Amino acid sequence: MTAIQFVLIAIAAFIVLAGLFMVIRSFKRRKDVERAAVNYDKNGIPIIPRHERNLIDQPDLDDAVAGETSIGPDRSYLNAVVEEEPLTQAHTNVDAQLTAGRGEASHDNDGAESADYARWQAEQQRADNAEFVEAAEQMHSEQEPDAFSSLMSATDSLMPAIDTAEEPSFDNNSPILDQHLSEPVDEAQNGPLINAKDNINITILPHQYRDRPVSIIRGRDLLALIDKYGLRYGAMNMFHRYEQKDGTGMLWFSMMGITDDGIAPFDPHSVATNNYNGVVVFLSLPHPQALRSFDSMMSIAYMMASDLDAIMLDEENEPITSEYKQQLRNQVRDYEG
């Protein structure tokens, strides 16, 4: 090892030792500053100068709930101490008399006099307690109302009177329902529906296009078609097509709506405002005029599908073909009678 290398090693060692010394001195100085920075008042609360607060570690909030401290109500007035009442002239006289009596009495009467003095002390204590209770009640009655009560009173005075309005009924939405909601159900006229053993179902669903939103049937549009094709609201909360357009004659076929919950009857009070995913028309069997009813149902179903830009599906959700239509007609013929 050359002399130059030795000198360099010595210089490096000196620099390392000097750095350690400065670090140790800085830690010691910080502790001295912390001890000097924290002063305490007469109640033991630390007083930290504003310019030295950054030298003091932040308080540990681990014991606080969710990093928050809870502040309890000030109940110091409950610990109020009633000052002793100064002795009046009457009290002085009584003490003098008791003292004189104790000096003049014999040792045999010490017990009786002590009992009298104890009773007098008890009476004075009761009087003092009564005064304390009276003062506490007066202080409680003079207290201002709490913040919550004041806030409630202010809120009640500021809240305006809210007028409520009843939701308008469905009475004016459709003349179709207005005319026939109150008509009684004719069991003979609706016999095929009431006594049905089988049904021929045709589903009508709007066309769906990839570049357009999901197509639905608006209730108002459906009511317009119901009026156009002579369906009438009636038995079992469904729309029906009877032999005559005015609602007379034998029931031919019926119609229900398709909602997000499935196939269901109609609510007469919300038909106009509802939206439907589709409708189902069906023929109840057996039927005394099964073929005429079937032909009428298929004809009106085709026209409704055209007006709604919809397709007709069978019970397997397949488009209805002419072959399937003829198959259904042959099936219906067997039920006619």
Side-chain angles (χ1 to χ4, degrees), residues 53-191:
R53 289 181 184 176
N54 58 344
L55 300 177
I56 307 302
D57 293 336
Q58 294 297 325
D60 187 7
L61 300 179
D62 292 341
D63 295 335
V65 178
E68 299 179 357
T69 56
S70 59
I71 302 176
D74 183 9
R75 301 180 181 273
S76 59
Y77 68 88
L78 297 179
N79 300 323
V81 178
V82 179
E83 296 182 356
E84 294 183 358
E85 179 185 3
L87 294 177
T88 61
Q89 185 65 30
H91 292 167
T92 305
N93 295 337
V94 171
D95 290 342
Q97 292 175 4
L98 290 175
T99 304
R102 283 196 301 271
E104 297 174 356
S106 63
H107 294 289
D108 295 338
N109 296 330
D110 288 344
E113 291 177 355
S114 298
D116 292 339
Y117 183 75
R119 285 196 298 272
W120 175 81
Q121 281 187 329
E123 291 176 358
Q124 293 300 317
Q125 185 65 33
R126 285 195 295 270
D128 292 341
N129 293 339
E131 292 179 0
F132 176 77
V133 171
E134 182 179 359
E137 292 178 352
Q138 183 178 2
M139 179 178 62
H140 179 72
S141 62
E142 293 176 355
Q143 286 181 348
E144 296 182 357
D146 57 275
F148 180 76
S149 300
S150 301
L151 179 61
M152 291 296 295
S153 301
T155 303
D156 293 340
S157 62
L158 293 176
M159 283 292 290
I162 300 176
D163 296 330
T164 59
E166 296 183 359
E167 184 178 358
S169 64
F170 186 64
D171 295 340
N172 298 325
N173 285 340
S174 172
I176 304 172
L177 302 183
D178 295 342
Q179 298 173 7
H180 309 294
L181 281 176
S182 60
E183 291 185 358
V185 176
D186 187 342
E187 294 187 3
Q189 184 185 33
N190 297 278

Side-chain angles (χ1 to χ4, degrees), residues 209-247:
Y209 300 94
R210 293 182 181 179
D211 56 343
R212 299 181 187 177
V214 177
S215 299
I216 57 174
I217 301 175
R218 297 190 305 173
R220 293 188 181 277
D221 296 338
L222 182 61
L223 285 176
L225 294 181
I226 287 171
D227 186 33
K228 178 179 179 180
Y229 297 115
L231 279 76
R232 301 175 65 84
Y233 185 82
M236 301 183 183
N237 297 334
M238 293 182 286
F239 286 98
H240 310 281
R241 180 60 165 89
Y242 293 93
E243 186 175 357
Q244 304 298 329
K245 194 174 181 179
D246 60 359

Side-chain angles (χ1 to χ4, degrees), residues 246-267:
D246 60 359
T248 59
M250 181 62 64
L251 181 147
W252 279 358
F253 66 90
S254 307
M255 182 177 72
M256 291 192 296
I258 302 176
T259 64
D260 293 337
D261 298 327
I263 301 174
F266 293 94
D267 180 0

Side-chain angles (χ1 to χ4, degrees), residues 182-319:
S182 60
E183 291 185 358
V185 176
D186 187 342
E187 294 187 3
Q189 184 185 33
N190 297 278
L193 176 66
I194 297 173
N195 304 312
K197 296 181 180 179
D198 196 3
N199 293 312
I200 301 296
N201 303 321
I202 303 297
T203 302
I204 302 175
L205 296 179
H207 275 292
Q208 304 296 335
Y209 300 94
R210 293 182 181 179
D211 56 343
R212 299 181 187 177
V214 177
S215 299
I216 57 174
I217 301 175
R218 297 190 305 173
R220 293 188 181 277
D221 296 338
L222 182 61
L223 285 176
L225 294 181
I226 287 171
D227 186 33
K228 178 179 179 180
Y229 297 115
L231 279 76
R232 301 175 65 84
Y233 185 82
M236 301 183 183
N237 297 334
M238 293 182 286
F239 286 98
H240 310 281
R241 180 60 165 89
Y242 293 93
E243 186 175 357
Q244 304 298 329
K245 194 174 181 179
D246 60 359
T248 59
M250 181 62 64
L251 181 147
W252 279 358
F253 66 90
S254 307
M255 182 177 72
M256 291 192 296
I258 302 176
T259 64
D260 293 337
D261 298 327
I263 301 174
F266 293 94
D267 180 0
H269 301 289
S270 60
V271 175
T273 57
N274 281 352
N275 294 323
Y276 298 91
N277 299 329
V279 294
V280 174
V281 294
F282 63 95
L283 169 63
S284 299
L285 299 173
H287 196 289
Q289 302 179 27
L291 288 177
R292 291 186 60 191
S293 300
F294 176 79
D295 293 339
S296 174
M297 180 182 72
M298 296 303 296
S299 176
I300 292 178
Y302 275 114
M303 290 186 290
M304 290 182 65
S306 176
D307 293 337
L308 295 171
D309 189 20
I311 57 175
M312 297 172 55
L313 305 177
D314 59 19
E315 295 181 354
E316 302 296 331
N317 290 329
E318 296 292 337

